[in-house]
Amino acid sequence: MNYEITQVPERTAKPRESGFTMAMDKGLSLREAENFVEVSGEFVDIVKLGWATSYVTPNLDKKIAIFHEAGIPVYFGGTLFEAFIVRGQFDDYRRLLDKYNLSYAEVSDGSIDMDHELKCKYIRTLAEQVTVLSEVGSKDAEKIIPPYKWISLMQAELDAGAWKVIGESREAGNVGLFRSTGEVRSGLVEEILTKIPFEKIIWEAPQKAQQVFFIKLLGANVNLGNIAPNEIIPLETIRLGLRGDTFSHFLDTKSLEKLV
Amino acid sequence: MNYEITQVPERTAKPRESGFTMAMDKGLSLREAENFVEVSGEFVDIVKLGWATSYVTPNLDKKIAIFHEAGIPVYFGGTLFEAFIVRGQFDDYRRLLDKYNLSYAEVSDGSIDMDHELKCKYIRTLAEQVTVLSEVGSKDAEKIIPPYKWISLMQAELDAGAWKVIGESREAGNVGLFRSTGEVRSGLVEEILTKIPFEKIIWEAPQKAQQVFFIKLLGANVNLGNIAPNEIIPLETIRLGLRGDTFSHFLDTKSLEKLV
Amino acid sequence: MNYEITQVPERTAKPRESGFTMAMDKGLSLREAENFVEVSGEFVDIVKLGWATSYVTPNLDKKIAIFHEAGIPVYFGGTLFEAFIVRGQFDDYRRLLDKYNLSYAEVSDGSIDMDHELKCKYIRTLAEQVTVLSEVGSKDAEKIIPPYKWISLMQAELDAGAWKVIGESREAGNVGLFRSTGEVRSGLVEEILTKIPFEKIIWEAPQKAQQVFFIKLLGANVNLGNIAPNEIIPLETIRLGLRGDTFSHFLDTKSLEKLV
């Protein structure tokens, strides 16, 4: 940090089990990836190449190399996994992970209809090759999953070998954990937390109000994902109680008295 | 493309008559223009320098050169044409196109009140100098043009020598083809398509839901415009059925069965 | 400007007392800061490092140097001032301004509850060290300040030595001067202007409709703030009547007749 301020919550250090930030790259150029690493590299634990953007982005191997040299792992968005699965190309997908030297992969079923036993089998198989992030929740706003089901799906996927589970929200933050307005399904979140340890969950929270909700509920070191590259620095200030939204949250009572 | 996936719709190749993407630059720096060309150059058919941003952007000639060297034509937004016309400076405008070595120009009347005969005369005159894109639709949300009028205006402008006609939406996608909420006027679109060939129309569709609407209606190779530079890669994945929104659209029925 | 257009309102030149544009940097990299200066340097009078982003942004001294070499002063967002004040670290804050060679500072109370006498005392003290911008308005959407109070606060802060006063809106433009929808509290603005000279006020106006409101009300040379880096060129065209929104505003009556 550039200077000293008191009463700032302690952040975990890399490699982080909690306080983890996942950024979403939806098509950065090489220089933009370098800019991103310069400013936000310290605060980003992993980069997701959003959905199947890796299929069309030029210079993919060079971009992955920029992140890897900065010590930031990269993985393909779950939609790419699903695109291979639905086409019967799982073996191609496994080879693709090796081709790009990736050590993380996402298993999801946000756009496909897949038996949960089969999803867990994919998690088990991929977990022998890479660290698996599995995602729960549909991209279809009309498919509402009740809280007890979120819990049982998450638990089964962790049992199958997922390192962490991701709560779905899309790039826009308007499905899954959230209502179409972006409002958090707070009852759902609280019920999930009665059963699943908070450090095992990455909450996709692209909107500022969503990030603020989770930080106020779970503290500076909650795991958050789908953060746009230019929102990493703002998010870090929210975690530290240094933006208006969480300004008072980490201060002691005396500091909050009226200044006269 | 970086790897093989089956059941991906075939895209047209440059120079494209359909499947055309028009990007909007509203003030990129030289390095940002280079970044853009690196990532999105293959997928962009033409760059519009939005409205009159070219009046104030520094290094204009160098920026145009970056796009031209990448084989991407550049044109000034229609509002600049209108700004010259309303001031009686049409000859200055024609000289300006030559000064910057531009081979495309837009003729529009989104902010001015102009007799349609006169608009068509400008199209005819400019068509002797450059390839003309003409735009139909007002930037004023309260000026609703009925569908039969859209059709007759578009047909007259094509007859006058416009290469393609553009459906107005503004940078925000909230007028013309769309309601103030961004929702597509789908009846209008369908009625236009009964009379005007789809490859002659460029639909301004800056919002993702608008792009998805047109791709579902008209396929991967619909002409779309007013795409922000950092949305070109995402749009390409939507065209290819590789983002959640169109994930199932291009798949054969068998692929869509529940995976067990 | 790159070419000649008639009937364009005259803009003030640097150093500007009115027609002033304040940009908000919320975490640009060094190269992004250079890109910004290349394109928008001429049109930006001062850069705010938003709230406490300067605490976490790497290469802070080098970034400030890029702006200073371009002749653009830099200051820390008011939330950082408040973060030091609430912790009893005012002397540290004063040293920080010197450490980074800053000649401007903001005094605000958007996130804290502070006696207004004390706020004015901070303005007086800092005015001996730097040029002070003071901000009126709460970041809390529920704290509504009536117009007569805005006026008396602004006047007292100018009397205490503030160079200009800023009307609060946040990065999103949804508090203070604006309703939660972003709509301008136009009655408030008009009442303020009956008492405070317009050149002494910087209106935070991050949304386009807000910028258009102020330019239509107060002309091309109104002072505007919280402008995102990639919106500086668009804003300049709005000031000059060269975007649809203000296209007719600066034209003489004859130009506005129907073209035939």
Side-chain angles (χ1 to χ4, degrees):
Chain A
M1 299 306 114
N2 292 313
Y3 38 83
E4 295 293 319
I5 306 182
T6 64
Q7 298 186 62
V8 171
E10 198 169 354
R11 290 279 281 124
T12 48
K14 287 190 183 183
R16 295 184 180 97
E17 275 295 324
S18 65
F20 182 101
T21 298
M22 175 261 277
M24 182 195 275
D25 168 355
K26 60 180 191 175
L28 296 177
S29 72
L30 299 183
R31 279 201 303 224
E32 288 165 346
E34 290 170 353
N35 295 344
F36 172 66
V37 164
E38 176 209 324
V39 168
S40 304
E42 188 186 342
F43 309 113
V44 167
D45 299 90
I46 198 162
V47 167
K48 172 164 70 177
L49 304 178
W51 61 102
T53 53
S54 60
Y55 181 62
V56 291
T57 312
N59 295 320
L60 181 59
D61 48 353
K62 289 182 191 162
K63 183 159 74 172
I64 291 173
I66 289 169
F67 291 127
H68 281 178
E69 278 158 30
I72 303 171
V74 173
Y75 72 101
F76 295 141
T79 300
L80 187 65
F81 164 82
E82 297 176 46
F84 276 86
I85 291 304
V86 82
R87 288 164 173 85
Q89 292 186 262
F90 181 53
D91 289 344
D92 291 343
Y93 189 69
R94 296 188 64 182
R95 279 188 287 271
L96 193 66
L97 301 179
D98 284 341
K99 178 182 166 193
Y100 286 103
N101 200 24
L102 301 183
S103 53
Y104 286 77
E106 180 177 330
V107 171
S108 62
D109 56 350
S111 300
I112 62 179
D113 191 12
M114 174 162 58
D115 186 85
H116 198 248
E117 280 299 311
L118 182 60
K119 186 180 181 189
C120 289
K121 196 177 147 198
Y122 284 123
I123 293 170
R124 273 191 295 273
T125 307
L126 280 170
E128 291 167 15
Q129 184 180 354
V130 294
T131 301
V132 173
L133 297 158
S134 75
E135 186 179 68
V136 174
S138 175
K139 293 193 192 300
D140 182 343
E142 305 203 342
K143 284 194 187 161
I144 304 294
I145 303 174
Y148 82 90
K149 193 83 182 291
W150 276 81
I151 292 167
S152 71
L153 295 171
M154 284 177 155
Q155 191 57 60
E157 297 180 17
L158 290 168
D159 292 346
W163 175 55
K164 294 187 190 294
V165 288
I166 300 171
E168 168 73 89
S169 84
R170 305 208 66 185
E171 184 202 355
N174 59 357
V175 299
L177 299 170
F178 307 104
R179 299 195 174 82
S180 61
T181 56
E183 193 194 348
V184 183
R185 295 189 200 275
S186 54
L188 168 62
V189 168
E190 285 171 31
E191 192 161 337
I192 289 172
L193 286 163
T194 62
K195 300 288 182 181
I196 311 288
F198 99 109
E199 71 273 13
K200 298 306 284 181
I201 309 173
I202 300 170
W203 309 94
E204 291 189 347
Q207 298 182 19
K208 186 183 75 165
Q210 299 167 348
Q211 298 158 14
V212 169
F213 170 86
F214 285 109
I215 291 165
K216 285 188 172 172
L217 186 68
L218 296 167
N221 290 305
V222 62
N223 297 325
L224 297 172
N226 278 19
I227 312 300
N230 66 347
E231 295 294 341
I232 298 292
I233 291 290
L235 170 60
E236 195 62 26
T237 64
I238 297 169
R239 289 184 183 278
L240 296 175
L242 293 173
R243 191 171 186 178
D245 313 86
T246 56
F247 189 90
S248 305
H249 191 73
F250 300 103
L251 291 175
D252 63 34
T253 324
K254 195 165 176 319
S255 303
L256 293 170
E257 287 169 12
K258 177 165 180 167
L259 295 159
V260 288
Chain B
M1 299 307 114
N2 292 314
Y3 38 83
E4 295 293 319
I5 306 182
T6 65
Q7 298 187 61
V8 172
E10 198 169 353
R11 289 280 281 124
T12 49
K14 287 190 184 184
R16 295 184 180 97
E17 275 294 325
S18 65
F20 183 100
T21 298
M22 175 262 276
M24 182 195 274
D25 169 355
K26 59 179 192 176
L28 296 177
S29 73
L30 298 182
R31 280 201 303 225
E32 287 164 347
E34 289 170 353
N35 295 344
F36 173 67
V37 163
E38 176 209 323
V39 169
S40 303
E42 189 186 341
F43 309 114
V44 168
D45 299 89
I46 198 163
V47 167
K48 171 164 73 180
L49 304 179
W51 62 101
T53 53
S54 59
Y55 182 62
V56 291
T57 313
N59 294 320
L60 181 59
D61 48 354
K62 289 182 190 161
K63 183 159 75 171
I64 291 172
I66 289 169
F67 291 127
H68 281 179
E69 279 160 29
I72 304 171
V74 173
Y75 72 102
F76 294 141
T79 299
L80 187 65
F81 164 81
E82 298 177 46
F84 275 87
I85 291 303
V86 83
R87 288 165 173 85
Q89 292 186 261
F90 181 53
D91 289 344
D92 290 344
Y93 189 69
R94 296 188 66 183
R95 279 188 287 270
L96 193 65
L97 301 179
D98 285 341
K99 178 182 166 193
Y100 285 104
N101 201 23
L102 301 184
S103 53
Y104 287 77
E106 181 178 329
V107 171
S108 62
D109 56 350
S111 298
I112 61 178
D113 190 13
M114 175 161 58
D115 185 83
H116 198 247
E117 279 300 310
L118 181 60
K119 187 180 181 189
C120 288
K121 196 177 147 200
Y122 284 124
I123 293 170
R124 273 191 296 272
T125 305
L126 279 171
E128 291 166 17
Q129 183 180 354
V130 294
T131 300
V132 174
L133 299 158
S134 75
E135 187 178 67
V136 173
S138 174
K139 292 192 193 301
D140 182 344
E142 305 204 342
K143 284 194 189 162
I144 303 296
I145 303 174
Y148 82 90
K149 193 83 183 291
W150 276 82
I151 292 168
S152 70
L153 296 171
M154 283 177 156
Q155 192 57 60
E157 296 180 18
L158 290 167
D159 291 346
W163 174 56
K164 293 187 191 295
V165 288
I166 300 172
E168 168 74 89
S169 85
R170 305 208 68 187
E171 184 203 354
N174 59 358
V175 298
L177 299 170
F178 306 104
R179 298 196 174 82
S180 61
T181 57
E183 193 194 348
V184 184
R185 295 189 199 274
S186 54
L188 168 63
V189 168
E190 286 170 30
E191 193 161 336
I192 289 172
L193 286 163
T194 62
K195 300 289 182 183
I196 310 288
F198 100 108
E199 71 273 14
K200 299 306 285 180
I201 309 173
I202 300 170
W203 308 94
E204 291 189 349
Q207 298 182 18
K208 186 182 74 164
Q210 299 168 348
Q211 298 158 15
V212 169
F213 170 85
F214 285 108
I215 290 166
K216 286 189 172 172
L217 185 70
L218 296 167
N221 291 305
V222 61
N223 297 324
L224 297 172
N226 278 19
I227 312 300
N230 66 346
E231 293 294 340
I232 299 291
I233 291 289
L235 170 60
E236 196 62 25
T237 64
I238 297 169
R239 289 184 183 277
L240 297 174
L242 293 173
R243 190 172 187 178
D245 313 85
T246 55
F247 188 90
S248 305
H249 190 74
F250 301 103
L251 291 174
D252 64 33
T253 325
K254 194 166 176 317
S255 303
L256 294 169
E257 286 170 11
K258 178 166 180 167
L259 295 159
V260 288
Chain C
M1 300 304 113
N2 292 312
Y3 39 82
E4 294 293 320
I5 305 181
T6 64
Q7 297 187 60
V8 171
E10 197 170 355
R11 289 280 280 123
T12 48
K14 286 190 182 183
R16 295 184 180 97
E17 275 295 324
S18 65
F20 183 100
T21 298
M22 175 262 277
M24 182 196 275
D25 168 355
K26 60 179 193 175
L28 297 177
S29 73
L30 298 182
R31 281 203 300 225
E32 288 165 347
E34 289 170 354
N35 295 344
F36 172 67
V37 164
E38 177 209 323
V39 169
S40 303
E42 190 187 341
F43 310 113
V44 168
D45 299 88
I46 198 162
V47 166
K48 171 165 72 179
L49 303 178
W51 62 100
T53 53
S54 59
Y55 182 62
V56 290
T57 312
N59 293 321
L60 181 60
D61 47 353
K62 290 181 190 162
K63 184 159 73 171
I64 291 172
I66 289 169
F67 291 127
H68 280 178
E69 278 160 29
I72 303 171
V74 173
Y75 71 101
F76 294 141
T79 300
L80 187 65
F81 164 81
E82 298 177 46
F84 275 86
I85 292 303
V86 81
R87 288 165 174 85
Q89 292 187 262
F90 181 52
D91 289 343
D92 290 343
Y93 189 68
R94 296 187 66 182
R95 279 188 287 270
L96 193 65
L97 300 179
D98 285 340
K99 177 181 167 193
Y100 285 103
N101 200 23
L102 301 184
S103 53
Y104 286 77
E106 180 177 329
V107 171
S108 61
D109 56 350
S111 299
I112 61 178
D113 191 12
M114 174 161 59
D115 186 84
H116 199 247
E117 280 299 310
L118 181 59
K119 187 180 180 189
C120 288
K121 194 177 149 199
Y122 283 123
I123 293 170
R124 274 191 294 272
T125 306
L126 280 171
E128 292 166 15
Q129 182 180 355
V130 293
T131 300
V132 174
L133 298 159
S134 75
E135 186 178 69
V136 173
S138 174
K139 293 192 193 301
D140 182 342
E142 306 204 342
K143 285 194 189 162
I144 304 294
I145 304 174
Y148 82 90
K149 192 82 183 290
W150 277 82
I151 292 168
S152 69
L153 296 170
M154 283 177 157
Q155 191 57 59
E157 296 179 17
L158 290 168
D159 291 346
W163 175 55
K164 293 186 191 296
V165 287
I166 300 171
E168 169 72 270
S169 85
R170 304 208 67 186
E171 184 202 355
N174 58 358
V175 299
L177 299 170
F178 307 104
R179 299 196 173 82
S180 61
T181 57
E183 193 194 347
V184 183
R185 295 188 199 274
S186 54
L188 168 63
V189 168
E190 286 170 31
E191 192 161 337
I192 290 172
L193 285 163
T194 61
K195 301 288 182 181
I196 310 288
F198 99 109
E199 72 272 13
K200 299 306 286 180
I201 309 173
I202 299 170
W203 309 94
E204 291 190 349
Q207 298 182 20
K208 187 183 73 164
Q210 299 167 347
Q211 298 158 14
V212 169
F213 170 86
F214 284 109
I215 290 166
K216 285 189 172 171
L217 185 69
L218 296 168
N221 290 305
V222 62
N223 297 324
L224 297 172
N226 278 19
I227 312 299
N230 66 347
E231 295 294 341
I232 298 292
I233 291 289
L235 170 60
E236 195 62 24
T237 65
I238 297 170
R239 289 184 183 278
L240 296 175
L242 294 172
R243 191 171 187 179
D245 313 86
T246 54
F247 188 89
S248 305
H249 191 73
F250 300 104
L251 291 175
D252 63 35
T253 324
K254 195 166 175 318
S255 304
L256 293 169
E257 287 170 11
K258 179 167 179 165
L259 294 159
V260 288

